[in-house]
């Protein structure tokens, strides 16, 4: 078990820690502001915190920037991917996308992923471990710090990096609560999109909790026969159950759902799949994002051609299902788990 960083602590936990050190009440708010409004990379920079206390804090609950293993910038200059190496050796990726005025981060919730989707680079590597709340939050603070000198801010976050957010439910939601805390980082909940492969009990829980963060469900196929081939977890929660949970979510929250669909040539981009999808989604408050597959080393599928994408979208429209085709950008740096830039842009609409 790694030592907890300051980013792992809630405000109440921080207050308790400081109270145990004999500190006055206002200290917690001071430290909180250094963390979440000034984004300091380490306790030593907390100028109005007495030196002795800074040392005690560092021992009790250290704060260290995530170590960068590598950085890549896309050829158009708008997308940057950072690979962090965690103290236990695990690697995670975070991607920053500059798009118009938006500064969107695609963040990871796990090192690796247990779901094994065949087309996904993270799925192909397997599961290593869940990320802590602090490790999820630290990815955001890293970029907030980097953007600050030019007056830029993180405006949107998508949980579409490595890992399945709803498999690491508690840490992910605690991180969301932390990032939306009005006394701290203060990002609007609607600016944070959670993407899931379709873990049915977790979707229901998410609906019951009336969470304000938008939800995207990675469907990718409209028949169990096809989805079983792409997404092994479909055998556990087949499409009918996923759709039931989706309807439940829409009823409970009144919110529109997004479905993600990576178009794979002659695999899930057929007329039959489009029709099956049209029937499934007809009448549901939702939108479909169509993204041509980004080829990965461990999977032979290819992206659908422009013509096939257009035909798929036209077929969906016949069922009254709205969809958007996303162009692939920032692909030269393989931005993240699903080379995610397009998905990121789409989630911001
Ligand atoms: N585990 C979550 C979130 C991370 S993956 C989920 O599956 O939703 C984020 C998105 O990238 C998902 O929609 C996923 O299906 C998609 N994706 C993964 N690999 C991809 C690839 N090679 N090409 C296109 N999309 C991909
Ligand atoms: Fe995991 Fe999502 Fe990749 Fe599937 S697509 S393996 S759920 S990260």
């Amino acid at each position: 078990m790694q030592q907890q960083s300051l980013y792992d602590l809630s405000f109440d936990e921080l207050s308790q820690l400081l109270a145990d050190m004999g500190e006055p009440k206002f200290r917690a708010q001071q430290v909180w502001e250094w963390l979440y409004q000034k984004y300091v990379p380490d306790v030593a920079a907390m100028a109005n915190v007495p030196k002795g206390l800074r040392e005690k804090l560092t021992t009790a609950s250290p704060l260290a920037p995530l170590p960068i293993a590598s950085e890549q910038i896309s050829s158009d200059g708008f997308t940057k991917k950072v690979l962090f190496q965690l103290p236990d050796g695990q690697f995670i990726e975070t991607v920053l996308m500059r798009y118009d005025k938006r500064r969107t981060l695609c963040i990871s919730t796990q090192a690796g992923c247990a779901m094994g989707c065949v087309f996904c680079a993270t799925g192909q590597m397997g599961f290593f471990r869940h990320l802590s709340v602090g490790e999820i939050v630290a990815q955001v603070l890293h970029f907030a710090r980097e953007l600050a000198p030019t007056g830029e801010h993180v405006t949107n976050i998508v949980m579409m990096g490595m890992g399945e957010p709803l498999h690491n439910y508690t840490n992910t939601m605690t991180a969301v609560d932390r990032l939306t805390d009005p006394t701290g980082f203060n990002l609007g909940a609607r600016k944070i999109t959670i993407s899931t492969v379709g873990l049915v009990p977790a979707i229901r829980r998410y609906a019951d909790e009336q969470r304000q963060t938008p939800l995207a469900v990675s469907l990718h196929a409209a028949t169990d026969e096809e989805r079983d081939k792409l997404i092994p977890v479909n055998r556990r929660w087949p499409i009918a159950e996923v759709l039931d949970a989706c309807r439940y979510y829409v009823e409970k929250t009144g919110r529109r759902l997004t479905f993600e669909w990576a178009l794979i040539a002659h695999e899930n981009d057929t007329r039959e799949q489009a029709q099956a999808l049209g029937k499934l989604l007809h009448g549901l408050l939702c939108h479909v994002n169509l993204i041509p597959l980004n080829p990965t080393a461990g999977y032979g599928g290819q992206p659908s051609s422009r013509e096939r994408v257009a035909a798929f979208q036209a077929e969906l429209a016949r069922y009254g299902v709205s969809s958007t085709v996303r162009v692939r950008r920032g692909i030269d740096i393989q931005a993240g788990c699903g080379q995610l830039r397009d998905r990121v842009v789409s989630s911001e609409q």
Side-chain angles (χ1 to χ4, degrees):
M1 179 81 190
Q2 270 172 254
Q3 196 180 14
Q4 288 209 318
S5 89
L6 280 180
Y7 291 139
D8 283 305
L9 305 185
S10 66
F11 184 76
D12 289 346
E13 287 162 346
L14 176 66
S15 304
Q16 190 57 51
L17 179 71
L18 289 164
D20 291 347
M21 292 175 174
E23 288 298 315
K25 259 203 145 114
F26 64 82
R27 202 65 87 194
Q29 188 59 37
Q30 270 181 343
V31 173
W32 202 245
E33 282 169 17
W34 283 113
L35 293 174
Y36 293 110
Q37 288 175 6
K38 300 187 188 122
Y39 323 135
V40 291
D42 96 61
V43 174
M46 300 184 178
N48 60 0
V49 174
K51 192 152 182 283
L53 175 59
R54 283 187 247 151
E55 279 159 14
K56 274 198 273 176
L57 264 182
T58 302
T59 314
S61 193
L63 179 67
L66 291 173
I68 297 172
S70 78
E71 285 185 321
Q72 283 170 282
I73 295 175
S74 62
S75 49
D76 63 12
F78 295 129
T79 304
K80 179 177 185 180
K81 178 171 84 165
V82 176
L83 184 69
F84 295 109
Q85 185 166 26
L86 304 176
D88 67 346
Q90 295 298 340
F91 289 98
I92 54 166
E93 290 175 354
T94 312
V95 184
L96 166 69
M97 275 139 292
R98 292 183 158 88
Y99 188 81
D100 297 336
K101 292 211 172 101
R102 292 189 293 256
R103 299 291 174 268
T104 302
L105 289 184
C106 176
I107 67 174
S108 297
T109 54
Q110 300 177 317
C113 182
M115 303 300 146
C117 304
V118 297
F119 51 83
C120 169
T122 311
Q124 290 158 16
M125 67 180 79
F127 178 70
F128 301 106
R129 68 168 171 86
H130 293 304
L131 298 189
S132 67
V133 175
E135 288 166 338
I136 299 173
V137 166
Q139 297 169 62
V140 179
L141 273 299
H142 171 91
F143 281 98
R145 192 176 301 131
E146 192 171 289
L147 290 171
T150 45
E152 297 169 278
H153 301 280
V154 174
T155 61
N156 300 72
I157 296 174
V158 293
M159 303 272 186
M160 294 190 184
M162 294 166 75
E164 166 52 42
L166 299 191
H167 182 208
N168 188 13
Y169 194 94
T170 307
N171 289 353
T172 298
M173 296 310 156
T174 306
V176 166
D177 294 341
R178 182 75 44 78
L179 294 166
T180 55
D181 174 0
T183 72
F185 195 70
N186 195 25
L187 187 65
R190 303 208 177 153
K191 304 292 186 183
I192 306 180
T193 298
I194 313 290
S195 180
T196 178
V197 70
L199 305 186
V200 164
I203 294 174
R204 290 180 177 271
R205 174 175 174 193
Y206 188 85
D208 286 335
E209 290 174 3
Q210 294 278 348
R211 295 212 156 254
Q212 304 288 304
T213 39
L215 185 64
V217 175
S218 302
L219 203 54
H220 304 310
T223 57
D224 285 326
E225 194 194 356
E226 179 62 26
R227 200 165 188 264
D228 281 351
K229 283 198 267 172
L230 301 173
I231 300 179
V233 76
N234 193 62
R235 291 188 201 111
R236 178 83 173 77
W237 291 294
I239 292 174
E241 290 186 37
V242 173
L243 259 291
D244 271 351
C246 289
R247 277 186 283 269
Y248 181 75
Y249 169 83
V250 171
E251 274 160 32
K252 267 259 162 184
T253 64
R255 289 177 185 286
R256 187 178 85 156
L257 257 178
T258 300
F259 290 99
E260 302 288 322
W261 193 285
L263 281 160
I264 310 168
H266 304 283
E267 185 68 50
N268 65 354
D269 69 348
T270 59
R271 190 150 176 239
E272 294 71 44
Q273 282 293 317
Q275 289 174 342
L277 181 61
K279 283 180 200 149
L280 267 185
L281 301 189
H282 177 77
L284 184 67
L285 184 59
C286 69
H287 187 79
V288 180
N289 284 327
L290 301 169
I291 308 105
L293 179 82
N294 286 306
T296 51
Y299 178 64
Q302 291 302 312
S304 305
S305 63
R306 199 184 288 254
E307 294 71 35
R308 293 185 71 85
V309 173
F312 193 92
Q313 184 175 35
E315 197 62 44
L316 276 188
R318 290 185 50 226
Y319 292 83
V321 174
S322 69
S323 63
T324 311
V325 180
R326 304 295 166 187
V327 285
R328 294 184 285 154
R329 274 180 259 220
I331 194 165
D332 55 321
I333 60 163
Q334 313 270 299
C337 153
Q339 293 93 21
L340 304 147
R341 191 197 191 286
D342 318 278
R343 217 159 267 94
V344 167
V345 172
S346 65
S347 67
E348 293 166 347
Q349 296 213 326

